[in-house]
Amino acid sequence: MRLKITLTLLIILLGLLTYIFYIDPWSSRLQLEGEDDNALASLAVDIDYLRIYDNAKNRALTLEKSENDWMLTEPFLWAANTFAVERILTQLQFLDTKVTFAADRIGQTGSSLAEYGLAPPSLTLEFGSNGGRYSIGIGKATDLGNHLYLLSFDKTKIHVVDRSLLDSLSIDIESLRNPRIFRSNIFEVDSWNLQLQDNLRTRVTKNENIWTIETPINTRADSIEVNTLLGKLLELKSLRVLQPTPADLRLYGLQQPSLRIAIESDQSREALEVGNPISPTDPLIRYGKLENRNTVFEIELDYLPELEKAQTNLRDRRIFEIDTAYATSVSFEKGGSESFSLQKLETDEWEILIPDEEQGFIREKGSNEAVKDALDWLNKVKAIASPISSGFVHDAPTAADLETYGLEVPEYSIRIASGRLRDRTEEPKPPKVETLLFGDLHSGDRTLRYVKLAESDFVYLVSNDILEMVPDVLFQYQSRRLYQIPGDATINKLSITRLSNEETLLDTSIEDSNLPLELVDSLTPLEVKSYLFDQYTSNVSIAGKRQSWAYLMNVTFQWASADTGHSKSVELYVSELTGGPLLLGGSIDRNSVFEFRQPFIDAFSSVVFDRIKRPVPEEPFDSDLPLPPAGEEPASPDTEQQ
């Protein structure tokens, strides 16, 4: 029995000694008193240099902070992934030390640094700030627990720290570098340029947020297109690094790159050089490198055709440099002589100036609405891209070229003076003048017409529809108030007659107290939608058919002036109602044919339809065809057969 007890005690003693000297050599018996919980303490503050050396792979990664950015400087120069670097710094600053013991005491246990993986260390971490350097060794993991050994910079202490430090230091280089090629932000860029292998260059610069193409010609750029393409370029990413130190750049097509993209700001200048496709089957994946750096990487350019056509795609297609919304005068010329002009008064009203040999000019009240519509369309005139042309025809035409385009002696032109340039707030002094010259139709596409500004060389192709949208005849700019009657005038009498049978549909006066209020409101004053002809005609074309006027409306206005009363009777001829938004009118007094506005159409329809019984139109109903006259029944199939 005593022998069993003795053997048991001996086994327990041997186990205890083994634990003390081998399993727990950093126990509290050897722990240094007063040690900080962080193995690095103040050394980990404001670090601006990191070097991680892997002894097993004989590989080093070096990171250096420049101003506010971290750069990977070994094995190649590249912008670092800030988040990955910050993770390492956080691990160092908050490195929790479980146990610390003196390195010189491990000899007392019969151990050595090599047994802890510290001679040599698996990883060596060199760090520091302001030129100071400290080096620590990272050893192997502990047998128990998720920890590892760390040798202090002065090699006097061994720390047991959390294993997560090793995880953050073992990050691969692709995760440690920032994949973005350009470091600039879009709002910082002042200029950028593209250079193709055939030396074709496109340079774009910004002044007060306005982009301009400087090369190959000096012209306005389309800010939306420029910012869109620039945004794509700034988001370019290198897929992977292929060769940090290439022996011969010609192998990658980078000795003479096929494309060079340079981006400049107040703070930096960055340039990307693009070489050959990596594979013949995928021309969008290419070799690339940064200017003044030899590191070759892989890049995907899925919008390469856009870059090759940048000088056309980025160009502002709008013709006018002025903003026509701020026009102060507009002149229309035919055959080289002025036909008429529009002038804006200080009251913001427009008037028409008609040349006259005796008086110089005859002035008429103009329509603000008509002028605004015309100026809005002129502001939209732009070069049209088509299968036969980019829309930009010629940037430096000769006299012979202009004659070919019908622009040497144009038959028609519009001259505009404006107090504002496009996309700008300052007002030019004096107002800037631009003259749009209209040339011939394109022989290959009759929907396109040659135009240019008299003040510049550029020749464009624009849609010929602009001549329909911008009236070139005087009467269409006349005041759309049909009759100039005082504002206090009221309607005294109103009648409507159906002309086909002289039937009176409405005959009332103010004394009857039953004037249709909506119709009265639409007549005081009567504003027409537009003028169609400057000569009265007894019939009009509706839905492709000539028709006589359907109704005659007599209106008597009355107003007081001083001590006398005045009145004016007007006759308005009205077309047939089609059920749609089209209703035409004519006036012998004004010698014109015009289109009524919707309020009049609604009010007139209410009055007329309430008094006319019409047959139901056959299905399907065609809104472009006029309704049959009142009292006329549609023909039945039997009637047609007879």
Side-chain angles (χ1 to χ4, degrees):
M1 178 63 71
R2 290 181 180 178
L3 179 60
K4 290 183 179 180
I5 294 173
T6 301
L7 289 174
T8 301
L9 292 174
L10 181 60
I11 292 171
I12 293 173
L13 179 61
L14 289 174
L16 181 60
L17 290 173
T18 300
Y19 177 78
I20 292 173
F21 289 104
Y22 291 97
I23 298 178
D24 189 22
W26 55 86
S27 65
S28 58
R29 298 173 187 175
L30 296 177
Q31 185 170 346
L32 300 179
E33 297 180 358
E35 192 67 46
D36 197 295
D37 288 340
N38 189 331
L40 302 181
S42 61
L43 300 180
V45 178
D46 296 329
I47 292 175
D48 58 21
Y49 174 87
L50 283 170
R51 187 175 188 271
I52 306 168
Y53 181 73
D54 188 328
N55 286 281
K57 298 179 180 178
N58 192 26
R59 185 184 66 181
L61 300 176
T62 302
L63 295 156
E64 297 183 46
K65 190 173 185 180
S66 174
E67 296 181 355
N68 295 322
D69 296 325
W70 280 91
M71 293 294 296
L72 182 65
T73 58
E74 186 184 12
F76 48 79
L77 185 63
W78 198 276
N81 183 338
T82 302
F83 297 105
V85 177
E86 290 295 335
R87 181 186 175 193
I88 295 175
L89 295 178
T90 301
Q91 287 285 343
L92 296 177
Q93 291 167 5
F94 299 97
L95 187 59
D96 188 19
T97 304
K98 304 301 180 183
V99 175
T100 299
F101 55 93
D104 58 2
R105 294 187 184 179
I106 61 174
Q108 300 174 12
T109 66
S111 300
S112 65
L113 290 175
E115 294 183 31
Y116 297 96
L118 294 170
S122 301
L123 294 178
T124 299
L125 176 63
E126 186 179 349
F127 63 94
S129 61
N130 299 321
R133 297 288 183 266
Y134 305 95
S135 180
I136 60 175
I138 310 297
K140 68 178 184 179
T142 61
D143 294 331
L144 298 176
N146 196 24
H147 303 93
L148 53 84
Y149 300 104
L150 182 150
L151 183 61
S152 65
F153 75 95
D154 56 6
K155 298 181 174 52
T156 62
K157 304 178 186 67
I158 297 176
H159 305 280
V160 177
V161 298
D162 195 278
R163 184 188 175 89
S164 58
L165 174 64
L166 181 62
D167 297 334
S168 63
L169 295 179
S170 300
I171 185 171
D172 85 36
I173 193 169
E174 285 298 321
S175 301
L176 194 57
R177 71 182 187 88
N178 188 339
R180 281 188 60 184
I181 294 173
F182 296 107
R183 300 167 67 188
S184 300
N185 293 311
I186 193 167
F187 60 85
E188 298 173 334
V189 178
D190 297 324
S191 65
W192 55 286
N193 65 80
L194 308 172
Q195 180 179 348
L196 300 176
Q197 195 169 30
D198 56 6
N199 209 32
L200 181 63
R201 302 188 182 197
T202 302
R203 179 174 175 81
V204 189
T205 61
K206 182 169 64 176
N207 182 20
E208 297 181 358
N209 294 321
I210 305 298
W211 288 102
T212 302
I213 297 177
E214 289 189 347
T215 305
I217 57 171
N218 195 318
T219 187
R220 301 186 314 275
D222 186 322
S223 293
I224 294 177
E225 293 293 336
V226 171
N227 286 326
T228 299
L229 185 54
L230 178 58
K232 290 181 180 180
L233 293 175
L234 293 177
E235 289 300 319
L236 275 175
K237 292 180 173 59
S238 55
L239 303 181
R240 59 194 174 106
V241 172
L242 300 174
Q243 181 54 260
T245 55
D248 189 353
L249 290 175
R250 288 177 297 182
L251 299 175
Y252 309 97
L254 291 168
Q255 187 71 26
Q256 293 181 331
S258 59
L259 174 65
R260 190 170 180 276
I261 305 167
I263 295 179
E264 301 173 7
S265 67
D266 288 340
Q267 307 297 326
S268 64
R269 182 183 185 280
E270 305 171 280
L272 167 66
E273 297 173 348
V274 180
N276 296 334
I278 292 179
S279 169
T281 60
D282 192 353
L284 301 181
I285 307 296
R286 300 204 168 214
Y287 295 110
K289 65 179 285 291
L290 292 173
E291 184 183 51
N292 300 326
R293 299 184 195 174
N294 287 332
T295 303
V296 177
F297 49 84
E298 186 179 285
I299 185 174
E300 181 177 7
L301 272 174
D302 56 357
Y303 47 91
L304 194 58
E306 293 182 46
L307 299 175
E308 294 172 343
K309 298 179 180 179
Q311 65 173 265
T312 298
N313 294 343
L314 301 183
R315 191 167 172 178
D316 192 348
R317 293 186 170 273
R318 297 175 299 181
I319 308 301
F320 284 106
E321 183 178 355
I322 59 173
D323 189 337
T324 63
Y326 294 86
T328 55
S329 68
V330 185
S331 297
F332 297 84
E333 296 184 0
K334 286 186 178 181
S337 61
E338 184 174 302
S339 300
F340 66 96
S341 296
L342 304 168
Q343 179 174 287
K344 193 173 188 179
L345 305 176
E346 292 182 356
T347 59
D348 288 337
E349 298 292 321
W350 285 87
E351 67 175 2
I352 305 172
L353 303 180
I354 309 168
D356 184 80
E357 293 183 359
E358 296 181 358
Q359 303 180 37
F361 286 101
I362 298 176
R363 300 175 183 270
E364 288 188 7
K365 184 177 177 59
S367 166
N368 283 19
E369 184 180 359
V371 177
K372 182 182 181 302
D373 288 344
L375 291 174
D376 286 346
W377 278 108
L378 287 169
N379 232 11
K380 297 173 183 176
V381 180
K382 63 180 182 179
I384 299 294
S386 67
I388 61 175
S389 172
S390 66
F392 303 106
V393 178
H394 211 308
D395 295 326
T398 64
D401 293 328
L402 293 178
E403 186 174 355
T404 301
Y405 305 139
L407 292 166
E408 180 69 12
V409 184
E411 294 185 5
Y412 181 55
S413 64
I414 302 176
R415 182 177 181 271
I416 305 175
S418 176
R420 190 75 61 87
L421 299 179
R422 283 188 184 276
D423 307 318
R424 297 183 183 271
T425 56
E426 69 274 10
E427 298 183 3
K429 303 291 185 180
K432 184 176 176 61
V433 176
E434 290 184 333
T435 307
L436 183 62
L437 309 179
F438 291 85
D440 295 336
L441 294 174
H442 191 282
S443 58
D445 188 343
R446 308 294 288 179
T447 65
L448 302 176
R449 182 180 292 273
Y450 295 104
V451 301
K452 73 179 292 288
L453 293 178
E455 295 77 15
S456 67
D457 293 331
F458 308 139
V459 177
Y460 309 91
L461 275 173
V462 303
S463 172
N464 191 45
D465 291 343
I466 191 62
L467 291 178
E468 298 180 7
M469 303 303 178
V470 181
D472 61 345
V473 289
L474 182 151
F475 75 87
Q476 290 181 308
Y477 293 98
Q478 291 176 332
S479 172
R480 293 183 178 178
R481 178 170 292 188
L482 196 60
Y483 296 103
Q484 299 303 318
I485 297 175
D488 61 347
T490 58
I491 292 180
N492 189 31
K493 294 181 180 180
L494 178 62
S495 66
I496 300 175
T497 303
R498 185 173 182 274
L499 294 176
S500 61
N501 57 7
E502 297 299 325
E503 178 185 1
T504 300
L505 306 177
L506 176 70
D507 187 7
T508 185
S509 65
I510 195 171
E511 288 83 5
D512 297 333
S513 301
N514 62 350
L515 286 169
L517 297 182
E518 289 186 7
L519 186 57
V520 168
D521 289 341
S522 68
L523 290 168
T524 52
L526 177 58
E527 298 271 357
V528 300
K529 184 177 181 180
S530 64
Y531 293 102
L532 303 180
F533 306 105
D534 61 344
Q535 186 174 2
Y536 171 80
T537 58
S538 59
N539 52 57
V540 289
S541 178
I542 301 178
K545 295 181 180 180
R546 299 297 300 183
Q547 301 181 23
S548 299
W549 296 111
Y551 307 96
L552 173 62
M553 183 164 60
N554 285 279
V555 185
T556 301
F557 296 92
Q558 185 174 1
W559 67 94
S561 176
D563 297 330
T564 61
H566 292 270
S567 65
K568 180 180 180 64
S569 295
V570 299
E571 290 184 339
L572 296 175
Y573 289 90
V574 183
S575 71
E576 184 57 86
L577 293 156
T578 63
L582 177 66
L583 185 64
L584 305 185
S587 170
I588 298 176
D589 184 32
R590 285 297 306 272
N591 196 26
S592 63
V593 175
F594 43 84
E595 185 178 347
F596 285 107
R597 293 179 183 270
Q598 194 63 46
F600 178 86
I601 297 175
D602 294 339
F604 186 80
S605 300
S606 176
V607 171
V608 172
F609 281 146
D610 283 349
R611 290 163 173 78
I612 298 178
K613 181 179 180 181
R614 295 186 178 279
V616 177
E618 295 182 8
E619 295 293 340
F621 176 66
D622 189 347
S623 60
D624 291 332
L625 297 176
L627 293 172
E632 181 179 317
E633 296 294 333
S636 65
D638 294 339
T639 304
E640 290 181 359
Q641 292 176 1
Q642 295 175 0

